[in-house]
Amino acid sequence: MSRQAPTLEDVAREAGVSRATVSRVVNGVRNVDPAIQDLVRRAIDRTGYAPNQAARQLVTRRTTTVALVVSGAGDASDTEQNAFATRVFADPFFGRVVGGVVAHLRPRRMHPVLMFAETPEARQEVVAYLRQGGADGALVVSTHPDDPLPALLAGAGLPAVLFARPGRPVPLSYVDLAHRDGGRLAAEHLLERGCRRIATVAGPLAVAASQERLAGFRDTLARHGHPYVPVAEGGFTVDSGMAAMTSLLTEHPDTDGVFTANDLMAQGAVQVLRDHGRRVPQDVAVVGFDDSSVAVTCRPRLTTVRQPVEEMAATMARLLDEHIKGARTEPTSVIFDPELVVRDSA
């Protein structure tokens, strides 16, 4: 005969508390003494009790699931959508976002569900999924400044938090980086190295973060007597970094310092410089941005501006949790500071 599954009563007896107290701990009610919570959780571990999720959802109106949405603004074909998903998984930035989100959710027994929203239909599916209770809220990583999803979520009154300031003002919380300060750090470092013919590989100039990084870089150089900075636009990929660096070398062969708006483009730039017989950093110093895994696998290792993506993503998840629980009712913003990480490339 199979053993009956442990019940709330079993946990209550093991912990020496009431069934109601166990229920409050299991359902995440906040007004329970931390010592009692710990006592109940240890009793749960000893008895092997597993809450009935369907019943718990009826009581709490929560699924303990959040949607992690990667969204854009296009009307992509199936082939383009598949290519987009492939690029996302290949980008170390997204892996860091996932790591930060999971680090916050896992100890709270919450789970992310990955969703893509690259078409109007997909965006409506995300909104419907949340409205129907498939997830308690959404963590949104937008890839395009004209992404309509944030406005759709705000209009529907759904809990959501954004990674990066939205291109259009919407009443949603977000986390972001002081990107302009990051550009300033890169410029100051290249100047301190003695670079005088400095260029930059910018990110997509339709993206606010790219504009801010470029503006901070240009402004700092202008303040130090460098009124003109050659710019080649990239697309945050290795290939685009290679193409941009090739263009800069063709038009400005005496370049001795380069700032690239992310590490993947810096890796591409380093490869092109090597192919053209330029030593890094002896002939051309290179500074990246992000401090991703690419920065330490690139040869030479990249000097880069650190974006604390994991901490930003964890904060994004924390804010969403607070909105879901009603602990935070008004939107807020949290801006992180960049940091220069000096390695071998500059």
Side-chain angles (χ1 to χ4, degrees), residues 232-272:
E233 184 177 1
F236 287 146
T237 64
V238 173
D239 288 346
S240 69
M242 294 178 67
M245 191 69 246
T246 300
S247 175
L248 287 173
L249 280 181
T250 299
E251 297 179 16
H252 306 278
D254 59 348
T255 296
D256 64 0
V258 178
F259 167 51
T260 66
N262 84 335
D263 291 340
L264 286 173
M265 294 193 300
Q267 184 181 39
V270 168
Q271 183 172 331
V272 167

Side-chain angles (χ1 to χ4, degrees), residues 135-148:
D136 298 319
L139 301 167
V140 181
V141 181
S142 288
T143 62
H144 197 286
D146 294 325
D147 183 6

Side-chain angles (χ1 to χ4, degrees), residues 125-201:
E125 287 176 9
V126 170
V127 173
Y129 183 75
L130 293 167
R131 277 178 165 163
Q132 294 164 10
D136 298 319
L139 301 167
V140 181
V141 181
S142 288
T143 62
H144 197 286
D146 294 325
D147 183 6
L149 182 61
L152 291 174
L153 294 170
L158 295 166
V161 179
L162 313 178
F163 194 106
R165 184 180 64 197
R168 300 171 182 174
V170 291
L172 294 177
S173 295
Y174 67 84
V175 301
D176 206 347
L177 186 77
H179 295 281
R180 191 177 289 252
D181 288 344
R184 173 183 57 79
L185 290 173
E188 289 175 347
H189 184 68
L190 289 172
L191 289 170
E192 287 170 3
R193 280 191 55 89
C195 297
R196 292 295 176 265
R197 296 173 296 281
I198 302 172
T200 182
V201 177

Side-chain angles (χ1 to χ4, degrees), residues 206-217:
V207 175
S210 299
Q211 297 170 13
E212 290 291 296
R213 293 173 195 180
L214 178 60
F217 187 71

